[in-house]
Amino acid sequence: YGHMQSPIDLPVCEAPDTHLPPMSIRWGRHSITLVNNGHTVQANVDGAGGKMMVDSNNYTLVQCHFHVGSEHTVGGAQKPMVVHCVHTKDGEDGKYGVLGVLYTIGSYRNTFLHSIEHNLPENPSMHRRLADHEPKTSAFKGPVDFDEIYNGLVLNEYWAYDGSFTTPPCTEAVDWYVLQGFAVMTQMQLSHFQAAIGWEAHGGNYRPPQPLDGRTVKGCSNEWYPYRVENWAVSSHGAHAVCAEGHMQSPVDLPLCPAKDMTLDPLSISWGTHDVSLENNGHTIVAHVTGTGGKLTVDDTDYTLVQCHWHWG
């Protein structure tokens, strides 16, 4: 019954939003406890984890885990694997920050994955009652360089939204960040993780995208134009689900009239002369009326002028 569930389908960006808050990561090199909890393979940080910073928000790394079959999709397309690095949010008990890095298949091996792929613990059980089975722990302790996870990717190009954990209890207390650049792994590396994580008969260990329920996803530039209904509903400035789901949206294609309707209610305008403030809001030029605007009257209904703006085309 939640309304902020994760994962979601992320919008395709014509270009990344260059006005996003800056992201910096200093995870560093750490010893790990590498476990298979029956749901996923998870690298728990031993000791104090490194930091992720986004604007004024600071997060401390706790663990990174993997999903075969990405949980977030991009424009409806799923990637072969994703890593989710889970942090506690500094100064806010019960709040978290998760960074997702999506993988594509390529010809060269991924350095971070290579550091653990031959030491992945096997799945303790393929049964659904995971609580009945003890996690399997690898003898491998590292250390591993967590910064290799995002090495070569642009940190300031990301999607961001408010969401939840993707496994029970699906707590809605997560600041989600997903990098728009993709890390590369080989098909052999994917095979190692598929074999260790299991769930191959079910297509992987991922939760499918959940409804947005009116949430805004930040990350895409070209916010308004060219017009894409999914951006206006999800990711553009002022986005709202009604842009895609509403039933009284404008504009419309007006009909050609063979003759005027002489029964329409009379329309009169007394706008007058006013001082204005001119603004370019990135969408259009707006002439805001200073003070009380004039009137538009249709039959017995009065409207007060607030502003005029322009569209070309």
Side-chain angles (χ1 to χ4, degrees), residues 166-186:
T166 64
T167 57
C170 305
T171 306
E172 294 181 339
V174 178
D175 299 337
W176 267 100
Y177 307 96
V178 181
L179 295 186
Q180 293 183 11
F182 304 142
V184 177
M185 66 188 303
T186 66

Side-chain angles (χ1 to χ4, degrees), residues 10-13 17 159 212 215-223 228-240:
L10 299 166
V12 175
C13 295
D17 185 350
W159 292 280
L212 272 176
R215 286 174 288 173
T216 296
V217 181
K218 300 176 183 177
C220 293
S221 186
N222 291 334
E223 292 188 332
R228 294 171 62 100
V229 66
E230 60 268 30
N231 288 348
W232 285 34
V234 176
S235 60
S236 66
H237 179 70
H240 197 284

Side-chain angles (χ1 to χ4, degrees), residues 46-122:
D46 292 341
K51 294 291 185 178
M52 176 174 72
M53 292 146 283
V54 184
D55 201 10
S56 59
N57 299 311
N58 295 326
Y59 306 89
T60 300
L61 181 64
V62 177
Q63 51 97 341
C64 295
H65 63 268
F66 302 87
H67 297 272
V68 171
S70 68
E71 298 204 298
H72 290 89
T73 54
V74 181
Q78 186 183 45
K79 298 302 178 183
M81 195 170 86
V82 67
V83 60
H84 291 164
C85 292
V86 180
H87 309 70
T88 53
K89 190 171 186 178
D90 296 357
E92 297 189 39
D93 290 344
K95 299 290 186 179
Y96 304 88
V98 179
L99 180 75
V101 178
L102 299 160
Y103 292 94
T104 58
I105 301 299
S107 59
Y108 60 91
R109 73 186 185 193
N110 184 280
T111 301
F112 179 80
L113 299 182
H114 183 66
S115 69
I116 62 174
E117 64 182 304
H118 297 295
N119 295 284
L120 300 174
E122 64 180 3

Side-chain angles (χ1 to χ4, degrees), residues 294-307:
K295 295 292 184 179
L296 166 72
T297 302
V298 183
D299 196 17
D300 58 352
T301 303
D302 293 329
Y303 305 88
T304 300
L305 179 65
V306 177
Q307 52 97 337

Side-chain angles (χ1 to χ4, degrees), residues 279-293:
E279 175 193 19
N280 188 324
N281 59 16
H283 167 67
T284 187
I285 300 292
V286 185
H288 297 279
V289 175
T290 301
T292 302

